[in-house]
Amino acid sequence: MRSSNNTSNFVNKFLPIFRQLETTMSRDFNEISSMQSSVNLPLDFAEKTQERIAEKLSYEIEKSWPDAGLIINSQIIKESSSDKKRYFILNILDGFENFLRSIEFFANSLTIIDSYDTESEKVICNIISNPALNHFFWFTPETGGFKDKCRISASRQDNLSQIITIDEIGEFADKIKKLQ
């Protein structure tokens, strides 16, 4: 039961942060729509949005879990420094090109993984936010999947490479194994 409470703590911690970021991203998404006639301005603006989101989430993770590892958009930012290796994998503005072109299919996601050794990784929690459509998803092994507080069907997968909620999760798992 302890891990279920721990998982709930992650969701409860990040839900308001993602909601706050949704407000910022929705504003930026609407702003970028009016910039479509410019060539470089939307790209610069979208990259700044991506940087701000990464900074905010990185700050919250570092403040609450200073020993955890951090991977942002496939880049290892920080290795885990504890015996129980916990990694936060952020995928900021997945669907960047859609965001840039004012197409509302993009998302921010966070996957939390505990890695005990090179053979054993456990997904603790997966959170996905689509600000343009105002959808928020989260998945945990204990509680299953939810969309905007309503339960949804999700299959159980114990192997990280079989999880499809985040692009390239197998690549992240390989990077984590190489760090150990």
Side-chain angles (χ1 to χ4, degrees):
M1 188 53 101
R2 183 172 173 251
S3 64
S4 179
N5 289 336
N6 193 19
T7 299
S8 296
N9 289 340
F10 288 122
V11 173
N12 292 334
K13 168 80 175 173
F14 286 102
L15 179 62
I17 295 167
F18 271 86
R19 289 292 186 207
Q20 181 183 36
L21 290 172
E22 277 186 354
T23 304
T24 302
M25 288 194 67
S26 293
R27 183 202 65 224
D28 290 357
F29 180 71
N30 290 331
E31 182 71 25
I32 211 163
S33 298
S34 64
M35 295 183 196
Q36 292 304 314
S37 59
S38 174
V39 176
N40 289 330
L41 193 56
L43 179 61
D44 295 340
F45 188 79
E47 288 173 344
K48 293 285 185 205
T49 298
Q50 193 173 37
E51 287 173 22
R52 281 195 318 268
I53 293 164
E55 286 173 10
K56 172 69 174 168
L57 289 170
S58 297
Y59 170 78
E60 293 295 336
I61 291 167
E62 181 65 28
K63 181 172 75 171
S64 298
W65 296 278
D67 293 336
L70 181 62
I71 299 172
I72 300 177
N73 292 347
S74 301
Q75 299 295 318
I76 298 170
I77 306 301
K78 180 183 161 199
E79 293 184 31
S80 178
S81 61
S82 67
D83 291 338
K84 178 181 173 185
K85 299 198 180 293
R86 173 162 291 152
Y87 287 89
F88 288 78
I89 302 171
L90 293 170
N91 200 348
I92 307 298
L93 266 178
D94 188 12
F96 183 83
E97 293 295 322
N98 287 347
F99 181 82
L100 189 60
R101 290 176 173 73
S102 299
I103 300 170
E104 47 193 31
F105 295 103
F106 59 90
N108 296 311
S109 61
L110 168 65
T111 300
I112 303 167
I113 296 175
D114 279 347
S115 179
Y116 302 100
D117 54 46
T118 57
E119 300 298 319
S120 174
E121 290 106 5
K122 180 181 178 192
V123 174
I124 302 301
C125 184
N126 184 271
I127 301 170
I128 302 170
S129 169
N130 180 324
L133 298 176
N134 198 28
H135 289 312
F136 188 79
F137 302 86
W138 72 92
F139 308 88
T140 70
E142 293 86 8
T143 61
F146 292 84
K147 175 187 171 198
D148 304 322
K149 298 185 181 180
C150 295
R151 192 165 187 46
I152 59 174
S153 297
S155 64
R156 178 175 172 82
Q157 291 293 337
D158 293 327
N159 185 343
L160 281 180
S161 64
Q162 300 296 316
I163 296 172
I164 59 170
T165 57
I166 291 184
D167 293 340
E168 304 166 344
I169 192 74
E171 180 182 321
F172 293 134
D174 290 341
K175 285 184 179 184
I176 290 170
K177 286 179 184 176
K178 289 176 186 173
L179 291 175
Q180 298 174 343

PDB file of all heavy atoms in Angstrom, residues 11-37:
ATOM      1  N   VAL A  11       1.232  12.129  -8.317  1.00  0.00           N
ATOM      2  CA  VAL A  11       0.122  12.709  -9.081  1.00  0.00           C
ATOM      3  C   VAL A  11      -0.351  13.991  -8.412  1.00  0.00           C
ATOM      4  O   VAL A  11      -0.536  15.018  -9.078  1.00  0.00           O
ATOM      5  CB  VAL A  11      -1.036  11.699  -9.240  1.00  0.00           C
ATOM      6  CG1 VAL A  11      -2.245  12.359  -9.885  1.00  0.00           C
ATOM      7  CG2 VAL A  11      -0.584  10.500 -10.072  1.00  0.00           C
ATOM      8  N   ASN A  12      -0.526  13.959  -7.099  1.00  0.00           N
ATOM      9  CA  ASN A  12      -0.987  15.152  -6.377  1.00  0.00           C
ATOM     10  C   ASN A  12       0.016  16.296  -6.452  1.00  0.00           C
ATOM     11  O   ASN A  12      -0.371  17.463  -6.462  1.00  0.00           O
ATOM     12  CB  ASN A  12      -1.290  14.814  -4.921  1.00  0.00           C
ATOM     13  CG  ASN A  12      -2.495  13.922  -4.783  1.00  0.00           C
ATOM     14  OD1 ASN A  12      -3.379  13.906  -5.638  1.00  0.00           O
ATOM     15  ND2 ASN A  12      -2.536  13.148  -3.716  1.00  0.00           N
ATOM     16  N   LYS A  13       1.296  15.985  -6.508  1.00  0.00           N
ATOM     17  CA  LYS A  13       2.336  17.009  -6.616  1.00  0.00           C
ATOM     18  C   LYS A  13       2.327  17.655  -8.004  1.00  0.00           C
ATOM     19  O   LYS A  13       2.404  18.873  -8.133  1.00  0.00           O
ATOM     20  CB  LYS A  13       3.707  16.374  -6.334  1.00  0.00           C
ATOM     21  CG  LYS A  13       4.902  17.221  -6.690  1.00  0.00           C
ATOM     22  CD  LYS A  13       5.188  18.246  -5.661  1.00  0.00           C
ATOM     23  CE  LYS A  13       6.472  18.993  -6.001  1.00  0.00           C
ATOM     24  NZ  LYS A  13       6.691  20.102  -5.128  1.00  0.00           N
ATOM     25  N   PHE A  14       2.219  16.825  -9.040  1.00  0.00           N
ATOM     26  CA  PHE A  14       2.380  17.347 -10.392  1.00  0.00           C
ATOM     27  C   PHE A  14       1.087  17.820 -11.051  1.00  0.00           C
ATOM     28  O   PHE A  14       1.140  18.603 -11.992  1.00  0.00           O
ATOM     29  CB  PHE A  14       3.099  16.322 -11.277  1.00  0.00           C
ATOM     30  CG  PHE A  14       4.559  16.244 -10.967  1.00  0.00           C
ATOM     31  CD1 PHE A  14       5.072  15.199 -10.215  1.00  0.00           C
ATOM     32  CD2 PHE A  14       5.423  17.231 -11.400  1.00  0.00           C
ATOM     33  CE1 PHE A  14       6.417  15.141  -9.897  1.00  0.00           C
ATOM     34  CE2 PHE A  14       6.776  17.185 -11.092  1.00  0.00           C
ATOM     35  CZ  PHE A  14       7.278  16.134 -10.338  1.00  0.00           C
ATOM     36  N   LEU A  15      -0.056  17.385 -10.582  1.00  0.00           N
ATOM     37  CA  LEU A  15      -1.321  17.826 -11.176  1.00  0.00           C
ATOM     38  C   LEU A  15      -1.455  19.350 -11.172  1.00  0.00           C
ATOM     39  O   LEU A  15      -1.671  19.958 -12.227  1.00  0.00           O
ATOM     40  CB  LEU A  15      -2.515  17.162 -10.481  1.00  0.00           C
ATOM     41  CG  LEU A  15      -3.895  17.565 -10.999  1.00  0.00           C
ATOM     42  CD1 LEU A  15      -4.073  17.179 -12.454  1.00  0.00           C
ATOM     43  CD2 LEU A  15      -4.989  16.946 -10.146  1.00  0.00           C
ATOM     44  N   PRO A  16      -1.281  20.034 -10.033  1.00  0.00           N
ATOM     45  CA  PRO A  16      -1.407  21.494 -10.070  1.00  0.00           C
ATOM     46  C   PRO A  16      -0.312  22.177 -10.893  1.00  0.00           C
ATOM     47  O   PRO A  16      -0.551  23.212 -11.520  1.00  0.00           O
ATOM     48  CB  PRO A  16      -1.340  21.926  -8.604  1.00  0.00           C
ATOM     49  CG  PRO A  16      -0.962  20.734  -7.823  1.00  0.00           C
ATOM     50  CD  PRO A  16      -1.110  19.520  -8.678  1.00  0.00           C
ATOM     51  N   ILE A  17       0.874  21.586 -10.923  1.00  0.00           N
ATOM     52  CA  ILE A  17       1.965  22.176 -11.720  1.00  0.00           C
ATOM     53  C   ILE A  17       1.629  22.083 -13.200  1.00  0.00           C
ATOM     54  O   ILE A  17       1.771  23.054 -13.947  1.00  0.00           O
ATOM     55  CB  ILE A  17       3.305  21.470 -11.402  1.00  0.00           C
ATOM     56  CG1 ILE A  17       3.688  21.728  -9.948  1.00  0.00           C
ATOM     57  CG2 ILE A  17       4.397  21.929 -12.356  1.00  0.00           C
ATOM     58  CD1 ILE A  17       4.795  20.841  -9.432  1.00  0.00           C
ATOM     59  N   PHE A  18       1.163  20.902 -13.640  1.00  0.00           N
ATOM     60  CA  PHE A  18       0.787  20.747 -15.042  1.00  0.00           C
ATOM     61  C   PHE A  18      -0.396  21.655 -15.390  1.00  0.00           C
ATOM     62  O   PHE A  18      -0.453  22.207 -16.476  1.00  0.00           O
ATOM     63  CB  PHE A  18       0.459  19.285 -15.363  1.00  0.00           C
ATOM     64  CG  PHE A  18       1.660  18.485 -15.790  1.00  0.00           C
ATOM     65  CD1 PHE A  18       2.477  17.871 -14.859  1.00  0.00           C
ATOM     66  CD2 PHE A  18       1.978  18.342 -17.125  1.00  0.00           C
ATOM     67  CE1 PHE A  18       3.577  17.123 -15.247  1.00  0.00           C
ATOM     68  CE2 PHE A  18       3.077  17.598 -17.533  1.00  0.00           C
ATOM     69  CZ  PHE A  18       3.885  16.992 -16.588  1.00  0.00           C
ATOM     70  N   ARG A  19      -1.348  21.798 -14.476  1.00  0.00           N
ATOM     71  CA  ARG A  19      -2.495  22.685 -14.722  1.00  0.00           C
ATOM     72  C   ARG A  19      -2.029  24.129 -14.883  1.00  0.00           C
ATOM     73  O   ARG A  19      -2.515  24.860 -15.741  1.00  0.00           O
ATOM     74  CB  ARG A  19      -3.527  22.573 -13.594  1.00  0.00           C
ATOM     75  CG  ARG A  19      -4.280  21.282 -13.593  1.00  0.00           C
ATOM     76  CD  ARG A  19      -5.194  21.193 -14.800  1.00  0.00           C
ATOM     77  NE  ARG A  19      -6.020  19.995 -14.700  1.00  0.00           N
ATOM     78  CZ  ARG A  19      -6.501  19.366 -15.733  1.00  0.00           C
ATOM     79  NH1 ARG A  19      -6.247  19.787 -16.948  1.00  0.00           N
ATOM     80  NH2 ARG A  19      -7.232  18.293 -15.579  1.00  0.00           N
ATOM     81  N   GLN A  20      -1.082  24.537 -14.055  1.00  0.00           N
ATOM     82  CA  GLN A  20      -0.528  25.887 -14.155  1.00  0.00           C
ATOM     83  C   GLN A  20       0.181  26.066 -15.500  1.00  0.00           C
ATOM     84  O   GLN A  20       0.033  27.096 -16.168  1.00  0.00           O
ATOM     85  CB  GLN A  20       0.434  26.138 -12.995  1.00  0.00           C
ATOM     86  CG  GLN A  20       1.058  27.506 -12.982  1.00  0.00           C
ATOM     87  CD  GLN A  20       2.062  27.646 -11.850  1.00  0.00           C
ATOM     88  OE1 GLN A  20       2.779  26.694 -11.514  1.00  0.00           O
ATOM     89  NE2 GLN A  20       2.119  28.813 -11.259  1.00  0.00           N
ATOM     90  N   LEU A  21       0.931  25.052 -15.900  1.00  0.00           N
ATOM     91  CA  LEU A  21       1.627  25.118 -17.184  1.00  0.00           C
ATOM     92  C   LEU A  21       0.649  25.118 -18.355  1.00  0.00           C
ATOM     93  O   LEU A  21       0.923  25.710 -19.398  1.00  0.00           O
ATOM     94  CB  LEU A  21       2.614  23.957 -17.318  1.00  0.00           C
ATOM     95  CG  LEU A  21       3.830  24.030 -16.403  1.00  0.00           C
ATOM     96  CD1 LEU A  21       4.628  22.741 -16.479  1.00  0.00           C
ATOM     97  CD2 LEU A  21       4.700  25.230 -16.743  1.00  0.00           C
ATOM     98  N   GLU A  22      -0.494  24.446 -18.192  1.00  0.00           N
ATOM     99  CA  GLU A  22      -1.519  24.448 -19.245  1.00  0.00           C
ATOM    100  C   GLU A  22      -1.985  25.863 -19.547  1.00  0.00           C
ATOM    101  O   GLU A  22      -2.191  26.215 -20.708  1.00  0.00           O
ATOM    102  CB  GLU A  22      -2.723  23.595 -18.837  1.00  0.00           C
ATOM    103  CG  GLU A  22      -2.539  22.136 -19.101  1.00  0.00           C
ATOM    104  CD  GLU A  22      -3.802  21.332 -18.822  1.00  0.00           C
ATOM    105  OE1 GLU A  22      -4.799  21.892 -18.311  1.00  0.00           O
ATOM    106  OE2 GLU A  22      -3.789  20.132 -19.126  1.00  0.00           O
ATOM    107  N   THR A  23      -2.146  26.669 -18.517  1.00  0.00           N
ATOM    108  CA  THR A  23      -2.576  28.050 -18.710  1.00  0.00           C
ATOM    109  C   THR A  23      -1.548  28.815 -19.539  1.00  0.00           C
ATOM    110  O   THR A  23      -1.891  29.494 -20.506  1.00  0.00           O
ATOM    111  CB  THR A  23      -2.774  28.742 -17.341  1.00  0.00           C
ATOM    112  OG1 THR A  23      -3.706  27.985 -16.580  1.00  0.00           O
ATOM    113  CG2 THR A  23      -3.254  30.156 -17.500  1.00  0.00           C
ATOM    114  N   THR A  24      -0.282  28.674 -19.172  1.00  0.00           N
ATOM    115  CA  THR A  24       0.803  29.329 -19.905  1.00  0.00           C
ATOM    116  C   THR A  24       0.873  28.825 -21.343  1.00  0.00           C
ATOM    117  O   THR A  24       0.980  29.609 -22.286  1.00  0.00           O
ATOM    118  CB  THR A  24       2.152  29.066 -19.199  1.00  0.00           C
ATOM    119  OG1 THR A  24       2.067  29.550 -17.872  1.00  0.00           O
ATOM    120  CG2 THR A  24       3.302  29.719 -19.927  1.00  0.00           C
ATOM    121  N   MET A  25       0.804  27.504 -21.517  1.00  0.00           N
ATOM    122  CA  MET A  25       0.921  26.935 -22.862  1.00  0.00           C
ATOM    123  C   MET A  25      -0.277  27.285 -23.734  1.00  0.00           C
ATOM    124  O   MET A  25      -0.119  27.511 -24.934  1.00  0.00           O
ATOM    125  CB  MET A  25       1.100  25.428 -22.788  1.00  0.00           C
ATOM    126  CG  MET A  25       2.473  25.061 -22.288  1.00  0.00           C
ATOM    127  SD  MET A  25       2.832  23.349 -22.563  1.00  0.00           S
ATOM    128  CE  MET A  25       2.907  23.281 -24.330  1.00  0.00           C
ATOM    129  N   SER A  26      -1.464  27.330 -23.157  1.00  0.00           N
ATOM    130  CA  SER A  26      -2.646  27.712 -23.937  1.00  0.00           C
ATOM    131  C   SER A  26      -2.503  29.145 -24.437  1.00  0.00           C
ATOM    132  O   SER A  26      -2.819  29.446 -25.587  1.00  0.00           O
ATOM    133  CB  SER A  26      -3.912  27.581 -23.097  1.00  0.00           C
ATOM    134  OG  SER A  26      -4.154  26.231 -22.803  1.00  0.00           O
ATOM    135  N   ARG A  27      -2.003  30.015 -23.561  1.00  0.00           N
ATOM    136  CA  ARG A  27      -1.758  31.397 -23.962  1.00  0.00           C
ATOM    137  C   ARG A  27      -0.741  31.449 -25.103  1.00  0.00           C
ATOM    138  O   ARG A  27      -0.946  32.114 -26.119  1.00  0.00           O
ATOM    139  CB  ARG A  27      -1.263  32.213 -22.764  1.00  0.00           C
ATOM    140  CG  ARG A  27      -1.066  33.691 -23.090  1.00  0.00           C
ATOM    141  CD  ARG A  27      -0.123  34.390 -22.135  1.00  0.00           C
ATOM    142  NE  ARG A  27       1.203  33.824 -22.264  1.00  0.00           N
ATOM    143  CZ  ARG A  27       1.987  33.514 -21.240  1.00  0.00           C
ATOM    144  NH1 ARG A  27       1.585  33.684 -20.011  1.00  0.00           N
ATOM    145  NH2 ARG A  27       3.188  33.013 -21.437  1.00  0.00           N
ATOM    146  N   ASP A  28       0.366  30.713 -24.947  1.00  0.00           N
ATOM    147  CA  ASP A  28       1.403  30.702 -25.979  1.00  0.00           C
ATOM    148  C   ASP A  28       0.903  30.078 -27.276  1.00  0.00           C
ATOM    149  O   ASP A  28       1.240  30.535 -28.370  1.00  0.00           O
ATOM    150  CB  ASP A  28       2.642  29.956 -25.479  1.00  0.00           C
ATOM    151  CG  ASP A  28       3.395  30.722 -24.396  1.00  0.00           C
ATOM    152  OD1 ASP A  28       2.980  31.852 -24.073  1.00  0.00           O
ATOM    153  OD2 ASP A  28       4.387  30.179 -23.885  1.00  0.00           O
ATOM    154  N   PHE A  29       0.095  29.041 -27.157  1.00  0.00           N
ATOM    155  CA  PHE A  29      -0.480  28.389 -28.336  1.00  0.00           C
ATOM    156  C   PHE A  29      -1.364  29.369 -29.110  1.00  0.00           C
ATOM    157  O   PHE A  29      -1.275  29.467 -30.338  1.00  0.00           O
ATOM    158  CB  PHE A  29      -1.276  27.158 -27.915  1.00  0.00           C
ATOM    159  CG  PHE A  29      -1.906  26.408 -29.055  1.00  0.00           C
ATOM    160  CD1 PHE A  29      -1.123  25.677 -29.933  1.00  0.00           C
ATOM    161  CD2 PHE A  29      -3.274  26.433 -29.244  1.00  0.00           C
ATOM    162  CE1 PHE A  29      -1.691  24.980 -30.989  1.00  0.00           C
ATOM    163  CE2 PHE A  29      -3.857  25.731 -30.292  1.00  0.00           C
ATOM    164  CZ  PHE A  29      -3.066  25.010 -31.166  1.00  0.00           C
ATOM    165  N   ASN A  30      -2.176  30.116 -28.408  1.00  0.00           N
ATOM    166  CA  ASN A  30      -3.027  31.121 -29.068  1.00  0.00           C
ATOM    167  C   ASN A  30      -2.191  32.239 -29.674  1.00  0.00           C
ATOM    168  O   ASN A  30      -2.503  32.747 -30.751  1.00  0.00           O
ATOM    169  CB  ASN A  30      -4.047  31.684 -28.078  1.00  0.00           C
ATOM    170  CG  ASN A  30      -5.088  30.661 -27.703  1.00  0.00           C
ATOM    171  OD1 ASN A  30      -5.408  29.773 -28.476  1.00  0.00           O
ATOM    172  ND2 ASN A  30      -5.588  30.761 -26.486  1.00  0.00           N
ATOM    173  N   GLU A  31      -1.131  32.619 -28.984  1.00  0.00           N
ATOM    174  CA  GLU A  31      -0.249  33.674 -29.481  1.00  0.00           C
ATOM    175  C   GLU A  31       0.472  33.235 -30.765  1.00  0.00           C
ATOM    176  O   GLU A  31       0.602  33.997 -31.707  1.00  0.00           O
ATOM    177  CB  GLU A  31       0.772  34.027 -28.401  1.00  0.00           C
ATOM    178  CG  GLU A  31       1.725  35.142 -28.759  1.00  0.00           C
ATOM    179  CD  GLU A  31       1.065  36.499 -28.803  1.00  0.00           C
ATOM    180  OE1 GLU A  31       0.033  36.695 -28.136  1.00  0.00           O
ATOM    181  OE2 GLU A  31       1.580  37.369 -29.534  1.00  0.00           O
ATOM    182  N   ILE A  32       0.909  31.989 -30.781  1.00  0.00           N
ATOM    183  CA  ILE A  32       1.661  31.497 -31.943  1.00  0.00           C
ATOM    184  C   ILE A  32       0.766  31.445 -33.191  1.00  0.00           C
ATOM    185  O   ILE A  32       1.242  31.582 -34.312  1.00  0.00           O
ATOM    186  CB  ILE A  32       2.334  30.146 -31.638  1.00  0.00           C
ATOM    187  CG1 ILE A  32       3.623  30.028 -32.430  1.00  0.00           C
ATOM    188  CG2 ILE A  32       1.435  28.970 -31.918  1.00  0.00           C
ATOM    189  CD1 ILE A  32       4.557  28.969 -31.919  1.00  0.00           C
ATOM    190  N   SER A  33      -0.520  31.270 -32.988  1.00  0.00           N
ATOM    191  CA  SER A  33      -1.457  31.272 -34.123  1.00  0.00           C
ATOM    192  C   SER A  33      -1.417  32.596 -34.873  1.00  0.00           C
ATOM    193  O   SER A  33      -1.540  32.631 -36.096  1.00  0.00           O
ATOM    194  CB  SER A  33      -2.883  31.023 -33.634  1.00  0.00           C
ATOM    195  OG  SER A  33      -2.979  29.770 -33.038  1.00  0.00           O
ATOM    196  N   SER A  34      -1.228  33.682 -34.144  1.00  0.00           N
ATOM    197  CA  SER A  34      -1.205  35.003 -34.786  1.00  0.00           C
ATOM    198  C   SER A  34       0.145  35.330 -35.409  1.00  0.00           C
ATOM    199  O   SER A  34       0.279  36.310 -36.125  1.00  0.00           O
ATOM    200  CB  SER A  34      -1.593  36.084 -33.780  1.00  0.00           C
ATOM    201  OG  SER A  34      -0.643  36.146 -32.746  1.00  0.00           O
ATOM    202  N   MET A  35       1.147  34.506 -35.172  1.00  0.00           N
ATOM    203  CA  MET A  35       2.487  34.753 -35.719  1.00  0.00           C
ATOM    204  C   MET A  35       2.755  33.981 -37.007  1.00  0.00           C
ATOM    205  O   MET A  35       3.865  34.012 -37.499  1.00  0.00           O
ATOM    206  CB  MET A  35       3.547  34.321 -34.699  1.00  0.00           C
ATOM    207  CG  MET A  35       3.586  35.075 -33.451  1.00  0.00           C
ATOM    208  SD  MET A  35       4.970  34.395 -32.490  1.00  0.00           S
ATOM    209  CE  MET A  35       4.585  35.056 -30.905  1.00  0.00           C
ATOM    210  N   GLN A  36       1.814  33.275 -37.529  1.00  0.00           N
ATOM    211  CA  GLN A  36       2.066  32.354 -38.633  1.00  0.00           C
ATOM    212  C   GLN A  36       2.622  33.017 -39.889  1.00  0.00           C
ATOM    213  O   GLN A  36       3.256  32.365 -40.700  1.00  0.00           O
ATOM    214  CB  GLN A  36       0.797  31.563 -38.963  1.00  0.00           C
ATOM    215  CG  GLN A  36       0.409  30.598 -37.862  1.00  0.00           C
ATOM    216  CD  GLN A  36       1.520  29.625 -37.496  1.00  0.00           C
ATOM    217  OE1 GLN A  36       2.153  29.035 -38.353  1.00  0.00           O
ATOM    218  NE2 GLN A  36       1.763  29.472 -36.206  1.00  0.00           N
ATOM    219  N   SER A  37       2.438  34.303 -40.057  1.00  0.00           N
ATOM    220  CA  SER A  37       2.960  34.960 -41.257  1.00  0.00           C
ATOM    221  C   SER A  37       4.458  35.237 -41.153  1.00  0.00           C
ATOM    222  O   SER A  37       5.131  35.433 -42.150  1.00  0.00           O
ATOM    223  CB  SER A  37       2.207  36.266 -41.519  1.00  0.00           C
ATOM    224  OG  SER A  37       2.350  37.124 -40.403  1.00  0.00           O
TER     225      SER A  37
END
